[in-house]
Amino acid sequence: MSGAFMGPPWQMDWVDTARTARDSLPQQVRDLIDAVRAELVTVKDPYFRGVDNLPDLPMGCRIAPLLSTVPNGLHVCHFDHGRGWLHYTFVRRTADPQIIIEEVFWQ
């Protein structure tokens, strides 16, 4: 490997509790989460998506930093028009950068 920063598709890993929460949801919600996942692993930068990040995401989804003061930290993707969210971090490394889903919630 040349040491250059790798690009998409990104690897994605799930914290066990997030995977369990996702797997327990109704099929239509799991499909929506899978659509968000597909967009996250293929976008050039899972954190900076520009001001208008809606066109690439499924309808009713929005991504933002959890804390505006930490733009490279934990991010939240609200999905199903705010009925659910998933928290993720993007670990930027030269070797094996990846997205880690830390929490999934839906009501």
Side-chain angles (χ1 to χ4, degrees):
M1 183 151 114
S2 68
F5 187 66
M6 297 173 62
W10 307 112
Q11 297 296 315
M12 181 175 276
D13 197 7
W14 296 72
V15 172
D16 287 342
T17 54
R19 170 67 76 185
T20 301
R22 181 237 175 246
D23 292 347
S24 69
L25 295 173
Q27 184 62 48
Q28 73 272 14
V29 178
R30 290 193 313 262
D31 291 345
L32 184 56
I33 291 170
D34 290 346
V36 169
R37 179 205 172 279
E39 199 278 329
L40 284 175
V41 299
T42 58
V43 72
K44 183 176 180 180
D45 186 338
Y47 278 168
F48 182 74
R49 306 166 46 74
V51 174
D52 182 12
N53 67 8
L54 297 177
D56 296 336
L57 293 167
M59 179 72 87
C61 297
R62 185 160 183 82
I63 292 178
L66 195 60
L67 298 171
S68 63
T69 57
V70 188
N72 288 331
L74 192 64
H75 273 56
V76 60
C77 174
H78 295 279
F79 62 88
D80 198 13
H81 302 280
R83 292 186 64 198
W85 69 77
L86 61 87
H87 292 169
Y88 73 93
T89 55
F90 178 53
V91 181
R92 295 178 187 269
R93 324 182 258 235
T94 301
D96 194 29
Q98 69 179 351
I99 298 167
I100 301 170
I101 303 294
E102 297 185 9
E103 181 179 23
V104 174
F105 174 82
W106 183 78
Q107 58 182 3

XYZ file of all heavy atoms in Angstrom:
863
model
N 0.845 -1.182 0.000
C 0.000 0.000 0.000
C 0.883 1.236 0.000
O 1.887 1.289 0.684
C -0.889 -0.036 1.232
C -1.829 1.095 1.290
S -3.281 0.561 2.172
C -3.182 1.553 3.588
N 0.478 2.251 -0.706
C 1.285 3.450 -0.870
C 1.213 4.390 0.314
O 1.981 5.330 0.397
C 0.838 4.187 -2.135
O -0.461 4.706 -1.937
N 0.303 4.197 1.247
C 0.155 5.098 2.376
C -0.830 6.221 2.098
O -1.085 7.046 2.952
N -1.369 6.264 0.889
C -2.357 7.293 0.553
C -3.677 6.989 1.255
O -3.990 5.836 1.522
C -2.560 7.349 -0.949
N -4.431 8.032 1.529
C -5.724 7.870 2.172
C -6.669 7.095 1.253
O -6.793 7.415 0.085
C -6.314 9.237 2.504
C -7.570 9.174 3.330
C -7.523 8.706 4.627
C -8.773 9.574 2.810
C -8.671 8.645 5.402
C -9.929 9.517 3.561
C -9.873 9.051 4.860
N -7.251 6.053 1.790
C -8.148 5.225 0.992
C -9.479 5.929 0.792
O -9.854 6.797 1.564
C -8.380 3.883 1.691
C -7.115 3.060 1.831
S -7.351 1.597 2.830
C -8.563 0.716 1.886
N -10.193 5.536 -0.228
C -11.501 6.117 -0.496
C -12.590 5.076 -0.409
O -12.345 3.930 -0.052
N -13.808 5.469 -0.741
C -14.932 4.534 -0.659
C -14.772 3.386 -1.653
O -14.047 3.541 -2.631
C -16.135 5.402 -1.002
C -15.615 6.665 -1.560
C -14.170 6.772 -1.220
N -15.434 2.280 -1.442
C -16.394 2.035 -0.366
C -15.685 1.790 0.966
O -14.651 1.143 1.028
C -17.139 0.785 -0.819
C -16.166 0.056 -1.682
C -15.320 1.127 -2.342
N -16.294 2.347 2.012
C -15.758 2.232 3.363
C -16.216 0.932 4.007
O -17.269 0.415 3.680
C -16.234 3.408 4.227
C -15.956 4.730 3.624
C -16.868 5.614 3.149
C -14.683 5.332 3.418
N -16.248 6.726 2.645
C -14.897 6.575 2.804
C -13.382 4.948 3.677
C -13.866 7.433 2.465
C -12.348 5.809 3.339
C -12.601 7.025 2.736
N -15.412 0.456 4.923
C -15.822 -0.668 5.743
C -16.807 -0.144 6.788
O -16.746 1.012 7.183
C -14.617 -1.293 6.466
C -13.580 -1.869 5.527
C -14.156 -3.023 4.724
O -14.836 -3.886 5.263
N -13.885 -3.026 3.436
N -17.703 -0.998 7.248
C -18.631 -0.593 8.304
C -18.689 -1.702 9.340
O -18.746 -2.877 8.995
C -20.030 -0.320 7.761
C -21.004 0.132 8.842
S -22.615 0.598 8.190
C -22.280 2.291 7.730
N -18.655 -1.316 10.584
C -18.753 -2.257 11.690
C -19.868 -1.773 12.600
O -20.205 -0.588 12.621
C -17.423 -2.317 12.443
C -17.305 -3.543 13.328
O -18.183 -4.422 13.265
O -16.334 -3.613 14.092
N -20.441 -2.692 13.343
C -21.549 -2.380 14.244
C -21.175 -2.766 15.663
O -20.655 -3.865 15.885
C -22.793 -3.175 13.867
C -23.354 -2.856 12.528
C -22.831 -3.182 11.315
C -24.557 -2.148 12.255
N -23.628 -2.719 10.309
C -24.707 -2.080 10.859
C -25.536 -1.571 13.066
C -25.784 -1.454 10.250
C -26.606 -0.950 12.454
C -26.720 -0.886 11.072
N -21.446 -1.907 16.628
C -21.382 -2.298 18.031
C -22.477 -3.352 18.204
O -23.555 -3.236 17.611
C -21.608 -1.069 18.941
C -21.741 -1.467 20.388
C -20.486 -0.060 18.746
N -22.208 -4.395 18.993
C -23.159 -5.511 19.114
C -24.571 -5.055 19.484
O -25.549 -5.555 18.933
C -22.674 -6.534 20.137
C -21.506 -7.363 19.623
O -21.297 -7.397 18.387
O -20.812 -7.976 20.452
N -24.692 -4.106 20.408
C -26.025 -3.654 20.820
C -26.742 -2.929 19.680
O -27.955 -3.034 19.548
C -25.944 -2.748 22.057
O -25.022 -1.675 21.790
C -25.488 -3.525 23.291
N -25.993 -2.199 18.848
C -26.599 -1.513 17.699
C -27.076 -2.528 16.670
O -28.169 -2.391 16.108
C -25.607 -0.541 17.073
N -26.283 -3.567 16.426
C -26.681 -4.617 15.475
C -27.929 -5.345 15.985
O -28.861 -5.597 15.235
C -25.527 -5.602 15.278
C -25.896 -6.854 14.508
C -26.229 -6.616 13.073
N -24.999 -6.397 12.337
C -24.969 -6.071 11.059
N -26.084 -5.947 10.380
N -23.844 -5.856 10.457
N -27.960 -5.653 17.270
C -29.112 -6.332 17.860
C -30.359 -5.461 17.762
O -31.443 -5.943 17.414
C -28.829 -6.701 19.330
O -27.678 -7.556 19.362
C -30.005 -7.402 19.969
N -30.205 -4.163 18.044
C -31.341 -3.236 17.951
C -31.847 -3.168 16.514
O -33.055 -3.231 16.267
C -30.936 -1.848 18.445
N -30.943 -3.069 15.555
C -31.332 -3.021 14.141
C -32.051 -4.296 13.730
O -33.078 -4.263 13.073
C -30.097 -2.817 13.264
C -30.411 -2.736 11.786
C -29.611 -3.812 11.057
N -29.952 -3.852 9.665
C -30.563 -4.889 9.082
N -30.906 -5.947 9.759
N -30.838 -4.866 7.803
N -31.530 -5.445 14.146
C -32.113 -6.726 13.756
C -33.490 -6.963 14.376
O -34.252 -7.783 13.868
C -31.172 -7.881 14.123
C -29.905 -7.872 13.277
O -29.867 -7.147 12.262
O -28.959 -8.597 13.652
N -33.812 -6.247 15.452
C -35.103 -6.443 16.110
C -36.203 -5.541 15.547
O -37.369 -5.678 15.932
C -34.967 -6.191 17.618
O -34.741 -4.814 17.867
N -35.852 -4.650 14.645
C -36.822 -3.700 14.099
C -37.649 -4.342 12.981
O -37.225 -5.327 12.372
C -36.090 -2.473 13.566
C -35.363 -1.646 14.628
C -34.529 -0.559 13.972
C -36.339 -1.065 15.624
N -38.810 -3.753 12.675
C -39.615 -4.257 11.550
C -38.825 -4.184 10.238
O -37.934 -3.345 10.077
C -40.815 -3.303 11.515
C -40.862 -2.680 12.867
C -39.459 -2.648 13.369
N -39.175 -5.050 9.292
C -38.435 -5.158 8.038
C -38.341 -3.824 7.294
O -37.281 -3.481 6.776
C -39.065 -6.217 7.126
C -38.287 -6.445 5.837
C -36.887 -6.963 6.076
O -36.704 -7.895 6.850
N -35.904 -6.375 5.422
N -39.415 -3.043 7.247
C -39.371 -1.781 6.491
C -38.387 -0.796 7.119
O -37.756 -0.013 6.420
C -40.764 -1.155 6.323
C -41.355 -0.535 7.563
C -42.154 -1.514 8.420
O -42.066 -2.723 8.242
N -42.932 -0.989 9.343
N -38.220 -0.849 8.439
C -37.259 0.029 9.109
C -35.836 -0.482 8.842
O -34.931 0.319 8.571
C -37.555 0.120 10.623
C -36.526 0.993 11.320
C -38.956 0.658 10.857
N -35.635 -1.785 8.883
C -34.317 -2.351 8.562
C -33.920 -1.997 7.133
O -32.762 -1.677 6.859
C -34.312 -3.867 8.764
C -34.386 -4.267 10.216
C -34.064 -5.732 10.446
N -34.724 -6.655 9.555
C -35.838 -7.339 9.843
N -36.431 -7.184 11.009
N -36.352 -8.172 8.960
N -34.885 -2.032 6.217
C -34.602 -1.659 4.822
C -34.161 -0.202 4.724
O -33.257 0.135 3.958
C -35.827 -1.891 3.944
C -36.148 -3.368 3.757
O -35.288 -4.229 4.053
O -37.289 -3.652 3.323
N -34.789 0.669 5.503
C -34.418 2.085 5.508
C -33.007 2.261 6.062
O -32.187 2.995 5.497
C -35.434 2.884 6.328
C -35.265 4.393 6.361
C -35.256 4.987 4.960
C -36.377 5.008 7.190
N -32.690 1.570 7.146
C -31.344 1.631 7.722
C -30.321 1.100 6.721
O -29.235 1.661 6.564
C -31.285 0.864 9.055
C -32.104 1.604 10.115
C -29.845 0.676 9.524
C -32.305 0.830 11.398
N -30.666 0.040 6.008
C -29.767 -0.505 4.996
C -29.525 0.491 3.866
O -28.417 0.581 3.325
C -30.305 -1.817 4.439
C -30.248 -2.953 5.453
O -29.557 -2.817 6.490
O -30.909 -3.984 5.210
N -30.544 1.266 3.507
C -30.387 2.293 2.466
C -29.452 3.403 2.955
O -28.612 3.901 2.195
C -31.740 2.865 2.072
N -29.595 3.795 4.227
C -28.688 4.793 4.802
C -27.269 4.240 4.817
O -26.316 4.914 4.452
C -29.142 5.189 6.224
C -28.075 6.005 6.934
C -30.452 5.960 6.174
N -27.135 2.981 5.242
C -25.826 2.333 5.280
C -25.172 2.334 3.897
O -24.002 2.666 3.748
C -25.954 0.895 5.771
C -24.635 0.171 5.801
C -24.828 -1.347 5.693
N -23.568 -2.004 5.544
C -22.889 -2.126 4.406
N -23.360 -1.625 3.295
N -21.736 -2.736 4.350
N -25.944 1.989 2.876
C -25.408 1.951 1.517
C -24.907 3.318 1.082
O -23.877 3.435 0.417
C -26.475 1.444 0.553
N -25.608 4.366 1.464
C -25.184 5.716 1.103
C -23.918 6.089 1.871
O -22.992 6.655 1.305
C -26.314 6.700 1.388
C -26.173 8.019 0.664
C -25.241 8.973 1.378
O -25.162 8.917 2.616
O -24.583 9.777 0.703
N -23.854 5.758 3.164
C -22.692 6.117 3.977
C -21.410 5.448 3.492
O -20.354 6.074 3.487
C -22.921 5.751 5.445
C -23.844 6.665 6.231
C -24.057 6.100 7.631
C -23.289 8.069 6.300
N -21.475 4.191 3.125
C -20.242 3.493 2.733
C -19.755 3.891 1.344
O -18.618 3.603 1.000
C -20.366 1.953 2.845
C -20.657 1.543 4.269
C -21.364 1.393 1.881
N -20.595 4.561 0.553
C -20.174 4.939 -0.795
C -19.894 6.426 -0.968
O -19.304 6.826 -1.972
C -21.237 4.523 -1.835
O -22.479 5.128 -1.514
C -21.372 3.011 -1.881
N -20.299 7.257 -0.024
C -20.063 8.699 -0.145
C -18.575 8.995 0.054
O -17.880 8.281 0.784
C -20.954 9.471 0.862
C -20.472 9.289 2.284
C -21.032 10.935 0.512
N -18.068 10.028 -0.602
C -16.640 10.346 -0.524
C -16.203 10.643 0.903
O -15.145 10.207 1.337
C -16.320 11.538 -1.429
C -14.853 11.876 -1.439
C -14.526 12.982 -2.409
C -13.046 13.275 -2.368
N -12.673 14.320 -3.283
N -16.989 11.394 1.650
C -16.649 11.728 3.034
C -17.903 11.577 3.885
O -18.825 12.386 3.770
C -16.117 13.152 3.120
C -15.607 13.516 4.513
O -16.013 12.866 5.491
O -14.805 14.457 4.602
N -17.985 10.565 4.735
C -19.189 10.345 5.543
C -19.495 11.472 6.528
O -20.576 11.506 7.101
C -18.877 9.044 6.311
C -17.837 8.370 5.507
C -17.032 9.474 4.884
N -18.551 12.394 6.753
C -18.796 13.516 7.658
C -19.198 14.775 6.906
O -20.233 15.342 7.145
C -17.557 13.803 8.493
C -17.416 12.912 9.691
C -16.246 12.881 10.390
C -18.454 12.096 10.129
C -16.096 12.072 11.504
C -18.321 11.284 11.229
C -17.139 11.281 11.909
O -16.996 10.495 13.009
N -18.351 15.249 5.981
C -18.687 16.475 5.268
C -19.483 16.125 4.035
O -18.990 15.502 3.115
C -17.446 17.273 4.868
C -17.837 18.545 4.183
C -18.353 19.598 4.914
C -17.748 18.674 2.820
C -18.753 20.761 4.284
C -18.145 19.834 2.182
C -18.645 20.879 2.926
N -20.720 16.518 4.045
C -21.620 16.170 2.957
C -22.180 17.422 2.297
O -23.075 17.356 1.504
C -22.745 15.309 3.506
C -22.219 14.102 4.262
C -23.296 13.468 5.080
N -24.491 13.319 4.302
C -24.642 12.406 3.342
N -23.701 11.548 3.124
N -25.735 12.345 2.653
N -21.669 18.576 2.677
C -22.187 19.812 2.115
C -23.417 20.279 2.860
O -23.944 19.599 3.734
N -23.876 21.466 2.529
C -25.014 22.044 3.215
C -26.287 21.260 2.921
O -27.074 20.962 3.799
C -25.185 23.528 2.813
C -26.445 24.098 3.410
C -23.977 24.327 3.241
N -26.473 20.887 1.669
C -27.685 20.169 1.279
C -27.352 18.695 1.121
O -26.941 18.242 0.078
C -28.231 20.740 -0.033
C -29.520 20.073 -0.453
O -30.107 19.340 0.355
O -29.934 20.297 -1.598
N -27.528 17.927 2.205
C -27.159 16.518 2.136
C -28.354 15.614 1.900
O -28.232 14.410 1.954
C -26.409 16.093 3.403
C -27.278 16.114 4.647
O -28.487 16.294 4.587
N -26.659 15.917 5.786
N -29.497 16.173 1.626
C -30.690 15.357 1.470
C -30.766 14.557 0.165
O -31.293 13.455 0.179
C -31.946 16.234 1.612
C -32.127 16.888 2.980
C -33.354 17.783 2.973
C -32.234 15.853 4.069
N -30.277 15.036 -0.970
C -30.503 14.292 -2.209
C -29.939 12.869 -2.209
O -30.470 12.004 -2.874
C -29.818 15.137 -3.273
C -29.770 16.498 -2.705
C -29.635 16.312 -1.230
N -28.861 12.613 -1.480
C -28.240 11.293 -1.487
C -28.868 10.329 -0.491
O -28.599 9.142 -0.538
C -26.754 11.403 -1.166
C -26.007 12.189 -2.232
O -26.489 12.236 -3.372
O -24.960 12.750 -1.916
N -29.646 10.825 0.419
C -30.225 9.994 1.475
C -31.668 9.629 1.150
O -32.340 10.340 0.411
C -30.196 10.754 2.807
C -28.813 11.019 3.377
C -28.898 12.039 4.502
C -28.176 9.732 3.863
N -32.150 8.531 1.722
C -33.570 8.202 1.542
C -34.463 9.323 2.085
O -34.050 10.095 2.959
C -33.749 6.928 2.373
C -32.384 6.346 2.498
C -31.446 7.519 2.497
N -35.676 9.399 1.582
C -36.628 10.417 2.015
C -36.805 10.345 3.536
O -36.915 9.268 4.100
C -37.982 10.172 1.344
C -39.041 11.172 1.742
S -38.712 12.775 1.012
C -39.518 12.578 -0.539
N -36.776 11.504 4.189
C -36.991 11.568 5.632
C -35.748 11.336 6.459
O -35.838 11.158 7.669
N -34.559 11.363 5.823
C -33.302 11.133 6.536
C -32.448 12.394 6.505
O -32.467 13.136 5.531
C -32.517 9.995 5.899
S -33.351 8.417 5.975
N -31.699 12.593 7.568
C -30.805 13.743 7.658
C -29.627 13.381 8.543
O -29.793 12.735 9.559
C -31.540 14.940 8.224
C -30.747 16.195 8.255
C -31.663 17.407 8.362
N -30.925 18.629 8.313
C -30.512 19.215 7.207
N -30.766 18.665 6.050
N -29.850 20.339 7.240
N -28.431 13.821 8.172
C -27.214 13.544 8.936
C -26.609 14.851 9.412
O -26.566 15.836 8.676
C -26.189 12.777 8.077
C -26.714 11.381 7.791
C -24.828 12.716 8.773
C -25.830 10.543 6.911
N -26.141 14.848 10.679
C -25.502 16.027 11.257
C -24.561 15.575 12.370
O -24.727 14.489 12.927
C -26.556 16.976 11.817
N -23.587 16.426 12.708
C -22.764 16.108 13.882
C -23.656 16.091 15.117
O -24.591 16.883 15.218
C -21.757 17.251 13.966
C -21.863 17.998 12.690
C -23.191 17.690 12.090
N -23.393 15.194 16.056
C -24.171 15.165 17.289
C -23.949 16.453 18.065
O -24.888 17.013 18.619
C -23.794 13.948 18.132
C -24.760 13.604 19.245
C -26.152 13.314 18.694
C -24.270 12.419 20.035
N -22.706 16.943 18.081
C -22.373 18.231 18.688
C -21.760 19.121 17.616
O -20.763 18.737 16.999
C -21.367 18.055 19.833
C -21.812 17.226 21.018
C -20.641 16.976 21.953
C -22.941 17.925 21.747
N -22.317 20.287 17.408
C -21.787 21.169 16.367
C -20.372 21.622 16.675
O -19.630 22.004 15.776
C -22.695 22.382 16.185
O -22.736 23.143 17.374
N -19.972 21.554 17.942
C -18.620 21.961 18.314
C -17.587 20.876 18.059
O -16.394 21.109 18.199
C -18.578 22.357 19.805
O -19.047 21.248 20.577
C -19.432 23.586 20.069
N -18.051 19.665 17.687
C -17.137 18.552 17.392
C -17.522 17.970 16.025
O -18.087 16.888 15.937
C -17.206 17.468 18.494
C -16.123 16.418 18.271
C -17.094 18.059 19.880
N -17.217 18.686 14.939
C -17.667 18.247 13.609
C -17.045 16.943 13.130
O -17.578 16.308 12.231
C -17.282 19.409 12.699
C -16.200 20.122 13.421
C -16.468 19.937 14.886
N -15.929 16.517 13.709
C -15.312 15.252 13.305
C -15.573 14.143 14.318
O -14.911 13.118 14.290
C -13.808 15.421 13.107
C -13.493 16.199 11.861
O -14.249 16.164 10.897
N -12.402 16.914 11.870
N -16.554 14.337 15.182
C -16.873 13.344 16.192
C -18.104 12.536 15.822
O -18.406 12.310 14.654
N -18.826 12.127 16.827
C -20.022 11.321 16.654
C -21.047 12.065 15.797
O -21.266 13.261 15.974
C -20.618 11.011 18.029
C -21.704 9.967 18.109
C -21.177 8.604 17.695
C -22.240 9.892 19.529
N -21.638 11.353 14.846
C -22.677 11.905 13.982
C -23.973 11.166 14.217
O -23.977 10.019 14.663
C -22.270 11.788 12.504
C -21.470 12.934 12.015
N -20.299 13.334 12.607
C -21.676 13.776 10.989
C -19.830 14.379 11.960
N -20.647 14.667 10.968
N -25.065 11.822 13.901
C -26.376 11.201 14.029
C -27.066 11.262 12.674
O -27.007 12.276 11.984
C -27.230 11.880 15.129
C -27.462 13.348 14.828
C -28.538 11.154 15.339
N -27.676 10.150 12.312
C -28.524 10.112 11.136
C -29.942 9.907 11.630
O -30.269 8.855 12.181
C -28.133 8.972 10.205
S -29.301 8.801 8.825
N -30.761 10.931 11.487
C -32.184 10.802 11.807
C -32.849 10.179 10.590
O -32.594 10.605 9.464
C -32.805 12.174 12.088
C -32.246 12.816 13.311
N -32.671 12.510 14.572
C -31.269 13.729 13.457
C -31.996 13.211 15.457
N -31.126 13.969 14.800
N -33.676 9.160 10.806
C -34.346 8.513 9.685
C -35.820 8.326 10.007
O -36.253 8.536 11.141
C -33.675 7.183 9.320
C -33.679 6.138 10.394
C -34.737 5.260 10.527
C -32.629 6.043 11.277
C -34.748 4.299 11.511
C -32.624 5.077 12.276
C -33.692 4.201 12.393
N -36.590 7.978 8.997
C -38.035 7.792 9.131
C -38.681 9.064 9.682
O -39.483 9.015 10.594
C -38.350 6.573 9.999
C -39.777 6.085 9.818
O -40.448 6.516 8.851
O -40.232 5.271 10.654
N -38.272 10.203 9.106
C -38.816 11.526 9.468
C -38.683 11.801 10.957
O -39.596 12.331 11.592
C -40.268 11.654 9.006
C -40.422 11.465 7.537
N -40.149 12.457 6.633
C -40.772 10.371 6.809
C -40.343 11.998 5.402
N -40.715 10.736 5.483
N -37.546 11.415 11.541
C -37.271 11.709 12.943
C -37.743 10.645 13.926
O -37.529 10.787 15.122
N -38.356 9.576 13.444
C -38.812 8.516 14.353
C -37.657 7.661 14.859
O -37.811 6.937 15.837
C -39.839 7.626 13.667
C -41.147 8.349 13.397
C -42.187 7.428 12.854
N -42.527 6.406 13.855
C -43.136 5.269 13.568
N -43.453 4.989 12.329
N -43.406 4.405 14.516
N -36.524 7.714 14.182
C -35.393 6.902 14.608
C -34.083 7.596 14.323
O -34.038 8.611 13.640
N -33.022 7.046 14.890
C -31.700 7.581 14.617
C -30.666 6.474 14.732
O -30.903 5.431 15.330
C -31.340 8.731 15.554
C -31.114 8.334 16.986
C -30.000 7.728 17.512
C -32.016 8.498 18.073
N -30.158 7.525 18.849
C -31.382 7.990 19.224
C -33.287 9.041 18.182
C -31.988 7.999 20.468
C -33.889 9.049 19.424
C -33.245 8.541 20.546
N -29.532 6.730 14.111
C -28.365 5.909 14.359
C -27.184 6.839 14.558
O -27.078 7.880 13.923
C -28.127 4.875 13.257
C -27.879 5.285 11.823
C -26.400 5.543 11.588
C -28.336 4.167 10.929
N -26.351 6.496 15.524
C -25.141 7.254 15.819
C -23.967 6.513 15.202
O -23.886 5.285 15.314
C -24.916 7.370 17.326
C -25.917 8.216 18.023
N -26.020 8.270 19.383
C -26.866 9.056 17.560
C -26.987 9.099 19.726
N -27.508 9.585 18.625
N -23.072 7.258 14.573
C -21.905 6.623 13.978
C -20.692 7.531 14.072
O -20.807 8.750 14.204
C -22.160 6.227 12.513
C -22.205 7.381 11.537
C -21.059 7.779 10.853
C -23.388 8.076 11.294
C -21.099 8.829 9.947
C -23.439 9.111 10.389
C -22.287 9.484 9.720
O -22.329 10.522 8.835
N -19.541 6.907 14.037
C -18.278 7.631 13.926
C -17.567 7.121 12.684
O -17.793 6.000 12.240
C -17.363 7.410 15.153
O -17.165 6.021 15.338
C -17.962 8.012 16.400
N -16.724 7.964 12.147
C -15.914 7.587 10.990
C -14.467 7.662 11.429
O -13.965 8.722 11.774
C -16.182 8.532 9.823
C -15.344 8.249 8.599
C -15.309 6.981 8.048
C -14.618 9.251 8.006
C -14.557 6.708 6.916
C -13.857 9.002 6.868
C -13.830 7.719 6.329
N -13.801 6.524 11.468
C -12.415 6.461 11.900
C -11.546 6.629 10.667
O -11.483 5.760 9.807
C -12.118 5.114 12.610
C -10.675 5.078 13.084
C -13.081 4.897 13.762
N -10.904 7.796 10.580
C -10.041 8.103 9.432
C -8.658 7.526 9.706
O -7.971 7.979 10.606
C -9.912 9.610 9.249
C -11.188 10.288 8.883
C -10.923 11.789 8.774
N -12.139 12.515 8.587
C -12.661 12.811 7.396
N -12.060 12.446 6.298
N -13.778 13.494 7.314
N -8.299 6.523 8.952
C -6.963 5.953 9.048
C -6.490 5.665 7.635
O -7.304 5.427 6.748
C -6.926 4.641 9.807
C -7.838 4.492 10.939
C -7.607 3.134 11.579
N -8.655 2.231 11.170
C -9.410 1.566 12.028
N -9.208 1.680 13.301
N -10.343 0.766 11.595
N -5.193 5.659 7.470
C -4.658 5.324 6.158
C -4.971 3.873 5.831
O -5.416 3.554 4.739
C -3.143 5.571 6.111
O -2.914 6.944 6.417
C -2.571 5.254 4.754
N -4.754 2.997 6.787
C -5.068 1.581 6.584
C -6.417 1.286 7.219
O -6.635 1.586 8.396
C -3.995 0.712 7.216
N -7.321 0.766 6.453
C -8.613 0.290 6.919
C -9.467 1.358 7.605
O -9.879 1.192 8.746
C -8.413 -0.907 7.846
C -9.709 -1.660 8.093
O -10.582 -1.638 7.207
O -9.847 -2.246 9.177
N -9.753 2.486 6.942
C -10.702 3.437 7.534
C -12.076 2.778 7.592
O -12.410 1.939 6.757
C -10.692 4.619 6.569
C -10.184 4.065 5.296
C -9.323 2.889 5.629
N -12.874 3.130 8.585
C -14.180 2.501 8.677
C -15.180 3.369 9.413
O -14.824 4.249 10.169
C -14.094 1.138 9.327
C -13.742 1.154 10.783
C -13.700 -0.255 11.359
O -14.088 -1.210 10.721
N -13.237 -0.368 12.571
N -16.441 3.056 9.167
C -17.571 3.678 9.851
C -18.002 2.705 10.932
O -18.115 1.500 10.682
C -18.724 3.925 8.868
C -18.279 4.888 7.766
C -19.954 4.440 9.596
C -19.223 4.959 6.586
N -18.245 3.215 12.130
C -18.685 2.363 13.234
C -20.054 2.844 13.685
O -20.209 3.990 14.115
C -17.701 2.405 14.414
C -16.317 1.943 13.946
C -18.211 1.539 15.566
C -15.222 2.170 14.935
N -21.061 1.979 13.560
C -22.408 2.293 14.033
C -22.434 1.977 15.519
O -22.210 0.841 15.923
C -23.485 1.465 13.299
C -23.399 1.669 11.795
C -24.867 1.782 13.850
C -23.736 3.051 11.326
N -22.711 2.987 16.344
C -22.652 2.820 17.783
C -24.014 2.623 18.439
O -24.112 2.023 19.494
C -21.942 4.018 18.414
C -20.503 4.113 17.949
C -19.724 5.197 18.632
O -20.231 5.788 19.615
O -18.595 5.453 18.212
N -25.055 3.169 17.824
C -26.377 3.049 18.436
C -27.451 3.154 17.350
O -27.302 3.930 16.405
C -26.586 4.175 19.454
C -27.904 4.125 20.166
C -28.085 5.250 21.185
O -27.421 6.291 21.064
O -28.897 5.064 22.092
N -28.503 2.376 17.508
C -29.674 2.437 16.620
C -30.904 2.521 17.500
O -31.025 1.795 18.487
C -29.778 1.195 15.711
C -31.069 1.211 14.924
C -28.585 1.111 14.783
N -31.813 3.429 17.164
C -33.055 3.595 17.918
C -34.182 3.893 16.934
O -33.963 4.599 15.952
C -32.922 4.742 18.918
C -34.212 5.063 19.615
C -34.618 4.313 20.708
C -35.016 6.098 19.176
C -35.812 4.599 21.344
C -36.212 6.373 19.804
C -36.619 5.630 20.900
N -35.351 3.364 17.211
C -36.539 3.673 16.412
C -37.762 3.513 17.297
O -37.823 2.622 18.145
C -36.642 2.724 15.222
C -37.802 3.008 14.311
C -37.875 3.992 13.382
C -39.032 2.294 14.247
N -39.076 3.941 12.732
C -39.817 2.889 13.263
C -39.554 1.208 14.944
C -41.089 2.456 12.926
C -40.825 0.772 14.624
C -41.577 1.392 13.615
N -38.726 4.408 17.130
C -39.974 4.306 17.923
C -41.185 4.416 17.053
O -41.190 4.998 16.034
C -40.017 5.377 18.980
C -39.932 6.791 18.437
C -39.943 7.823 19.545
O -39.951 7.495 20.703
N -39.929 9.080 19.184
